[in-house]
Amino acid sequence: NWDDIVIAYEPVWAIGTGKVATPDQAQETQAAIREFLKTAVSEEVADNVRIQYGGSVTPENCAELIAKPDIDGFLVGGASLKASFMDIICTVGA
């Protein structure tokens, strides 16, 4: 059931490095994933599946990232252990 599926993508070069893709780089990749789903599965699935971005999401960059049309949320790792994680939640939830 595709309604239960969430896809998370983190650039391999971002894992554990503190580096983050630019919002445009992240959008380009997320859009490519969505386009793949459209061809491989269906347009309906591609339009409705949630695709999250991971890769050093911070309170400072989350607003620009979440504004991109194909970024549906975030996969937050180590930053979720910091008090500033609530800033990400508040920014994205606004």
Side-chain angles (χ1 to χ4, degrees):
N1 182 354
W2 283 98
D3 292 338
D4 297 329
I5 301 296
V6 176
I7 296 173
Y9 170 78
E10 179 172 3
V12 69
W13 49 262
I15 298 171
T17 66
K19 295 179 182 178
V20 64
T22 67
D24 288 338
Q25 288 172 323
Q27 168 57 28
E28 182 180 352
T29 302
Q30 306 294 92
I33 293 168
R34 202 169 299 280
E35 187 59 36
F36 172 79
L37 288 171
K38 188 183 295 185
T39 348
V41 185
S42 73
E43 188 169 352
E44 180 182 3
V45 166
D47 289 343
N48 293 311
V49 74
R50 292 170 303 250
I51 305 175
Q52 297 181 337
Y53 173 76
S56 300
V57 175
T58 66
E60 293 75 33
N61 64 24
C62 67
E64 281 187 279
L65 287 164
I66 201 66
K68 295 298 182 178
D70 290 302
I71 298 177
D72 300 321
F74 301 120
L75 173 66
V76 180
S80 66
L81 302 174
K82 299 176 183 174
S84 62
F85 180 58
M86 288 306 298
D87 296 334
I88 295 172
I89 293 171
C90 291
T91 299
V92 172

